[in-house]
Each structure stands twice: as C-alpha cells, then as structure tokens.
Amino acid sequence: MSKTGLIVGCGVFGLSAAVELAKQHAFDKIIAIDAETVPSSLSAANDLNKIIRPEYADIKYMKLAIEAMDSWRSKAPVSSTYHECGRLSINSKDPNRCQFDAVSQANLRKLLGETALVDLNTPDEIRQKFPAFLSNAPLNEDTSAVFNEHAGYASASDALVWMESEAKKFGVEFRYGKCGSFKRFVFPNTNSGSTASVAVEIEDGSIIQADTILLAIGAYMNAYIHTDRRVIAKGLPVAHMQLTEAEYNHYRNMPIIFDPDMAYIFPPDPKTKLLKFSSAGYEYVYNTRTRYDESIITSLPTTPSQYTEIPGYAKESIYRFLRMYLPELADRPLEKCKICWISDTSDSEFLVDKLPGTENVFIANGDSGHAFKFLPNIGKYIAQKIHGTLSTEWQEAWKWKNMDNHTTEVKWRGSQSLVDLKDVSFTPNN
Ligand SMILES: Cc1cc2nc3c(=O)[nH]c(=O)nc-3n(C[C@H](O)[C@H](O)[C@H](O)COP(=O)(O)OP(=O)(O)OC[C@H]3O[C@@H](n4cnc5c(N)ncnc54)[C@H](O)[C@@H]3O)c2cc1C
C-alpha cells in the first residue's frame, strides 16, 4: 500500500526533514506545504544571515553543531552559502551568560584542542587582532573577548532555497499559499476507502490525507495547538544599515562581532551591501486570543507588515554597540527593521515528539532561537524520531514535557527583558 508523508511548514525543521526523509525513501510520496513560498516571510530563518558556531555548554548540542558544521563546510547544497569569517565573542557582564560561555569554551577546547579559541584579554589585544576594523573602537577598560576562527555565518534565506531545491531533486512535492496553509487536523480521518489515519484541512478548504504528518510551523504553533507554555512565540528585533560599495569592501572581511550585552553584527551581505544587526537581551511577546479557542490567550507572531520598526530600547542597544565597536557608523540610520519570531522553550531544548494522543502526528518545534545552524542535519534526527530510532538522550531532551514538574530555566541567552509589543514605545533612531 502506498504511503504518504506530509510535512507542514517549510522552514529549518521542515525542509531538513523533507530532504532526509526523501533521501531515505521513507515514504512513497512526500508532500511539503507552507503558507508562503520558500523562503517564507513567516520563517525565522528568512534572513540575510545566521551564525553557525559550535559553542554550547551542553556537550550533546556541541557535537550536533560540529556535525552540522562539517556539512556547512563541505556538503552541497548548503556549503555554497557558508562563510567561515570567525566570531569575536565579547565576554559578558551577565553572570548567567558568563557561566554559559566559560563551560562552552572549556568543552570546545576539550573536543577540538587548546588552539580552538584565542583569548583576547585586553582592549588592546582585541584592537591588535582586528586593526582594519577595530583600531578606532573605544572599548571599555575591562573589555575582553574570545575569538573562534572556526565559526561563521550562512546566507540564511539562500540556504533555505537550496534545501528546497534539494528536496525537489529527491521528489518532494511542494504546495504553497492558500493550498499550502494548514488550518487544522481532522481526527479521526473518516474518509472512506482511505488507509491513512489522519488528515489536515487546508485554508482553501481542501483536505490532505497522509500516513505520517510532521508539523513544523515554528512560532505559529500556538495558533493551532494548545501547548500550555511548552513553547512560547517570542519576537526578536532585527535591523539593517545600507553600506556603499567602498564601505562594503572595507568591512567584507570582518568577523561576526557578538556582544551578548548589547547586539551583534555580521560582515556585510555581498548582494545587498547591507549590514545586519540583532539586539541581544530584548525578546517580545504579543499576547492575543487564539482562533481555535477564544478563551486561550497566548503569544502569537505579528505579521511582517505590522511592525516595520523595532522598539526604541532595542535600537538604542544597537547604537550603543556601534559607538563601542564601529563608531564611524554610529550616526547612520537603521533601516529594514523587523521583528522575527521564534518558538521558545523554557530550557532551550527543541521539541521533537509525537503530538500527545496521536500515533502518527509528529511535531518539530521549540527552536529557541538557535536551530538554524542545524539545517543540514536536524532532519536526520527528526526522521529517527519518526522511525522510532532516536537515541534515549535526545528523546529525553526533546520530549513533550510534563509542565507540572518542569521548572528548568536556562539563561544562556542572557537576562531577557520580556514585554508585550503592544506596551512598547517605538522611537525614531536614537
Ligand atoms: C532574529 C533571529 C536571529 C537568529 N539567529 C540565529 C543564529 O544566528 N543561528 C541559529 O542557529 N539560529 C538562529 N535563529 C533561529 C532560527 O532562525 C530558528 O531556530 C529556525 O528558523 C526555526 O526553524 P523552524 O523550522 O522551527 O521555523 P521557521 O524557520 O520559522 O519556519 C516555520 C515555517 O512554517 C510556515 N508556517 C507557519 N504557519 C503555517 C501554516 N498555517 N501552514 C503552513 N505553513 C505555515 C512558515 O511560513 C515557515 O516557513 C535566529 C532567529 C531569529 C528570529
């Protein structure tokens, strides 16, 4: 009997799983659907660039990241989007972040050797390491940093498009727009003559039946499924600055500069000559009622057109960053601002499990703002979950947890100020 696999959501988890399952010939037919064409403006990964780095305090994620980085460096199609520019990580003043960095760096040195990282203990050592970019940087007297030359960034939306074409090469059928927008599950599937036990209803009114379904809709999860705080949609501010051709040539070989207390910046994008910034420490919610149950209030992503500015505090942290590291750009306007939505878990573990009460519906969610780097390999582990071969270690980490006794809070993303976007002031450039 012919078997169909349906993947709902073509972001990082969905596309990675689509490629892996298609390569394995796990189903006779794989259909992948999304509300928009790849790269969807709703995807957290629809962006100029994302950091690819191995540093994790949790050794299992570090090993997973090192495995992914082997692919970023050497395996088509994603390798064409990867740039190993190195990452300068400024040492934080936040004790939680310090702890995360200290453990991550010790782990990395244990796994890859003492020379994996370079300590830059004073402002002068930092300036001397990057004289072309940081010689004018005022830096605080107590600023120190660690440089990892074996890290970099991927051109994020390009990488999604490459993964989509790889999936097509292996026979995945894509459906986008109204005919690819998930509306709800149909339980049980009573369609006569069908062997498939579950189906989904699509916004255009059609029904897609499948033997196995993977729901990978990122921050939109709570719009359809009551996860009861297991995942929370959080918005992160992103901004850009337009460079001239001459400025692009000046900055193109700079490293990623990551200051967890302020913001981080990537080398300029070769196509658009835009510098991209994300402010660190500012995450937002947007609490609203769900469509499926008016009594449930939860954070849901805003649309890209709803906020074309970022909150004043986030902007100010980017300008503080510029005054500290690249003062020559500190009076320039920020543009193409947006709020980009992740699906956050309280312990920063992903959520890859069966949807409770079902046998053949799986979720890959809870990216917690750090899943992009796993685009080349997370699909392998999602496929293992579907086949029932995922290791106990990952099953424990990624399971649908009992929230009554689940209190773990991981603070490695630094102290977060978490406010509702509706209560935030949007000021012009600071
Ligand atoms: C500002 C920012 C910076 C980040 N930086 C990094 C970084 O440097 N390194 C890193 O590793 N990670 C980073 N991330 C995290 C990374 O982008 C996410 O972890 C990753 O994109 C999550 O993948 P996903 O597949 O769960 O969701 P997404 O990539 O968001 O994809 C979800 C998909 O579901 C689709 N969808 C939604 N609703 C429906 C529906 N009803 N029907 C059909 N389809 C639907 C959307 O269109 C979208 O394509 C960052 C995230 C943000 C926001």
Side-chain angles (χ1 to χ4, degrees):
M1 195 64 70
S2 161
K3 297 255 182 226
T4 299
L6 172 66
I7 294 168
V8 183
C10 299
V12 171
F13 287 145
L15 285 173
S16 189
V19 169
E20 181 65 25
L21 291 166
K23 278 186 179 168
Q24 293 177 1
H25 304 288
F27 299 96
D28 301 291
K29 181 176 182 174
I30 297 178
I31 303 171
I33 63 173
D34 200 292
E36 293 191 2
T37 50
V38 173
S40 160
S41 71
L42 311 179
S43 165
N46 182 354
D47 218 347
L48 285 183
N49 36 44
K50 299 283 187 201
I51 301 173
I52 310 295
R53 45 96 185 160
E55 288 94 336
Y56 274 98
D58 184 334
I59 201 99
K60 65 183 186 301
Y61 279 98
M62 180 173 283
K63 288 181 178 165
L64 193 68
I66 289 171
E67 180 183 87
M69 288 183 72
D70 284 345
S71 298
W72 283 112
R73 290 192 181 104
S74 61
K75 287 203 186 128
V78 291
S79 54
S80 63
T81 67
Y82 179 62
H83 311 269
E84 197 150 285
C85 59
R87 186 173 79 121
L88 178 68
S89 180
I90 308 297
N91 291 328
S92 174
K93 307 279 180 291
D94 179 310
N96 294 313
R97 179 72 205 194
C98 280
Q99 167 78 0
F100 169 80
D101 283 339
V103 178
S104 309
Q105 290 157 11
N107 281 349
L108 199 65
R109 288 183 159 120
K110 224 185 293 165
L111 273 186
L112 301 184
E114 276 304 311
T115 55
L117 297 166
V118 179
D119 287 310
L120 301 166
N121 295 315
T122 64
D124 277 342
E125 285 182 24
I126 297 171
R127 289 188 200 101
Q128 280 154 20
K129 179 83 181 155
F130 300 103
F133 313 111
L134 295 178
S135 55
N136 293 330
L139 304 181
N140 286 331
E141 258 174 33
D142 58 352
T143 303
S144 61
V146 173
F147 180 59
N148 179 359
E149 65 177 324
H150 307 293
Y153 72 92
S155 306
S157 39
D158 290 350
L160 292 181
V161 172
W162 276 112
M163 286 298 274
E164 177 205 33
S165 57
E166 184 80 346
K168 278 183 181 158
K169 222 164 70 188
F170 286 92
V172 175
E173 175 191 326
F174 286 90
R175 296 183 196 172
Y176 295 131
K178 258 206 149 169
C179 66
S181 288
F182 171 85
K183 188 171 179 192
R184 63 182 185 102
F185 287 110
V186 183
F187 291 123
N189 176 15
T190 50
N191 245 335
S192 61
S194 167
T195 55
S197 51
V198 69
V200 300
E201 184 181 340
I202 304 299
E203 282 293 346
D204 68 358
S206 61
I207 300 283
I208 304 178
Q209 297 171 35
D211 300 275
T212 300
I213 295 178
L214 176 69
L215 189 65
I217 53 173
Y220 293 80
M221 181 78 167
N222 284 326
Y224 304 94
I225 303 284
H226 182 48
T227 68
D228 194 14
R229 294 171 295 121
R230 284 175 182 84
V231 293
I232 297 179
K234 290 187 185 166
L236 277 50
V238 175
H240 300 86
M241 183 180 285
Q242 185 66 60
L243 296 188
T244 62
E245 185 74 35
E247 287 169 335
Y248 165 75
N249 284 325
H250 175 67
Y251 292 107
R252 58 195 280 218
N253 293 320
M254 71 186 240
I256 292 163
I257 305 175
F258 187 93
D259 185 331
D261 298 339
M262 284 190 248
Y264 54 99
I265 184 176
F266 295 75
D269 175 55
K271 276 189 250 172
T272 58
K273 318 287 183 267
L274 284 168
L275 275 178
K276 186 189 113 179
F277 302 88
S278 290
S279 62
Y282 293 99
E283 297 185 339
Y284 299 91
V285 289
Y286 189 86
N287 289 322
T288 188
R289 290 181 196 281
T290 63
R291 211 166 66 158
Y292 67 87
D293 184 341
E294 283 269 296
S295 69
I296 296 176
I297 296 179
T298 186
S299 173
L300 292 179
T302 54
T303 60
S305 58
Q306 209 168 334
Y307 287 100
T308 53
E309 274 295 332
I310 57 171
Y313 284 121
K315 238 179 203 184
E316 173 49 27
S317 78
I318 292 173
Y319 279 109
R320 269 192 291 127
F321 173 96
L322 283 169
R323 288 194 291 272
M324 181 75 84
Y325 299 102
L326 303 172
E328 65 280 11
L329 298 176
D331 60 354
R332 298 273 289 271
L334 293 175
E335 52 187 275
K336 298 186 167 49
C337 297
K338 63 176 181 177
I339 307 289
C340 176
W341 290 87
I342 61 167
S343 160
D344 202 25
T345 63
S346 67
D347 53 11
S348 282
E349 301 275 12
F350 304 152
L351 173 53
V352 180
D353 205 348
K354 269 184 196 168
L355 182 65
T358 70
E359 264 318 299
N360 47 7
V361 178
F362 294 84
I363 1 170
N365 200 252
D367 69 278
S368 303
H370 64 106
F372 180 82
K373 68 183 72 59
F374 303 113
L375 178 67
N377 66 338
I378 193 69
K380 180 169 95 185
Y381 298 87
I382 296 171
Q384 286 173 2
K385 179 68 209 175
I386 290 173
H387 300 320
T389 57
L390 185 65
S391 70
T392 317
E393 186 185 40
W394 281 127
Q395 291 213 54
E396 261 311 294
W398 293 345
K399 71 182 179 193
W400 180 276
K401 289 175 182 125
N402 178 348
M403 294 307 281
D404 294 341
N405 52 24
H406 183 64
T407 51
T408 329
E409 283 267 342
V410 169
K411 300 209 161 97
W412 59 268
R413 299 212 307 268
S415 302
Q416 306 297 331
S417 104
L418 191 64
V419 277
D420 196 308
L421 270 176
K422 294 190 283 306
D423 303 328
V424 166
S425 96
F426 285 76
T427 57
N429 281 346
N430 288 280

